[in-house]
Amino acid sequence: MAELKCILWDVDGTLADTERDGHRVAFNMAFEEAGLTRQWDVATYGELLEVTGGKERIQFDIDRGGMPAMPFEEIAALHARKTIHYQNLIAEGLIPLRPGVRRLLEEAYLAGITLGVSTTTTPAALDALIEHSLGKEWFDRFAVLAAGDIVPAKKPAPDIYNYAIEKLGVSAAETIALEDSSNGWRSVRDANMKCVITINDYTAAHDFSGADLVVSELGEADRDAINVIADRYDLSDIHHIELQHLQAIMHG
Ligand code: XBP
Ligand code: MG
């Protein structure tokens, strides 16, 4: 029976609902600034979320005829501008953490659990969210920030999770990951870690078959009880997720 030693956090959709009002808006600002007529509406962006990574997402939209072809250098430059717009949006403080995120992070930190981030997003975008939504002290409290192009294959490949535990010197068996999407879940599954999913509007219909726990959110004591969508450990009557629930999942 493994003890819980490490919690790895996905970022977009898990720490905060950054996609619709953050990343999507920033892409559109960069497109307009570059003189492109393409704008990704909310529904279109939902389709494009199947592709992880901003540069990869632009390339995918080009390949399916949504945008004019351009060399990779131009995609990278467009994406760099998008990242700046995203940083500015996040700096406005308009995107809060999801319910229960700060509470569970603090509980786990105080309990001495190793904390890390495993995300597809660009390091500069992650840094902005930590600075403006979480607080600068979390730059030190996270023992690893695994992000973006640091691994060649993004989610759903398991590489970013494997990278994080290798850096931390912990095993997959003593690690639990928090995710929000099917691409994230597949990445965790193939890294052989336990996984809790907090769904959101973009991911509610995703396939999370095999995940340890699928819930509406982490929840808070003073909010309505969370909705438990799938649960392998008979935790169905939980009101909100605490560290003890993650430990119970670990013990199987
Ligand atoms: C979600 C993603 C990212 C962001 C945009 O990452 O798919 O591609 O939408 O990121 P995760 P960049 O859920 O793993 O945090 O534009 O910075 O690449
Ligand atoms: Mg995510």
Side-chain angles (χ1 to χ4, degrees), residues 6 8 114 117-118 143-144 146 150-151 158-175 191 193:
C6 174
L8 293 178
T114 299
V117 162
S118 285
V144 68
I150 204 162
V151 289
D159 303 31
I160 199 73
Y161 280 100
N162 291 334
Y163 173 91
I165 58 169
E166 196 177 311
K167 282 275 166 199
L168 294 171
V170 297
S171 71
E174 52 202 11
T175 300
M193 294 169 191

Side-chain angles (χ1 to χ4, degrees), residues 185 194-197 208-214 230-233:
W185 154 234
K194 303 264 186 183
C195 188
V196 172
I197 309 284
F208 297 114
S209 310
D212 295 281
L213 181 63
V214 183
D231 148 35
R232 300 173 59 193
Y233 301 95

Side-chain angles (χ1 to χ4, degrees), residues 9-15 18-19 23-24 27 45 48-58 79 82-83 86 117-126 148-149 154-155 160-161 179-181 183-184:
W9 294 74
D10 171 52
V11 174
D12 298 305
T14 300
L15 287 182
T18 48
E19 294 290 10
H23 289 292
R24 183 185 69 89
F27 279 112
Y45 194 68
L48 292 166
L49 280 174
E50 290 301 311
V51 180
T52 59
K55 295 185 287 294
E56 294 83 350
R57 194 166 295 146
I58 294 170
H79 185 256
K82 173 263 167 178
T83 300
Y86 179 81
V117 162
S118 285
T119 174
T120 298
T121 205
T122 305
L126 170 61
D149 297 322
K154 293 182 176 164
K155 300 174 189 177
I160 199 73
Y161 280 100
E179 272 286 354
D180 74 301
S181 69
N183 278 325

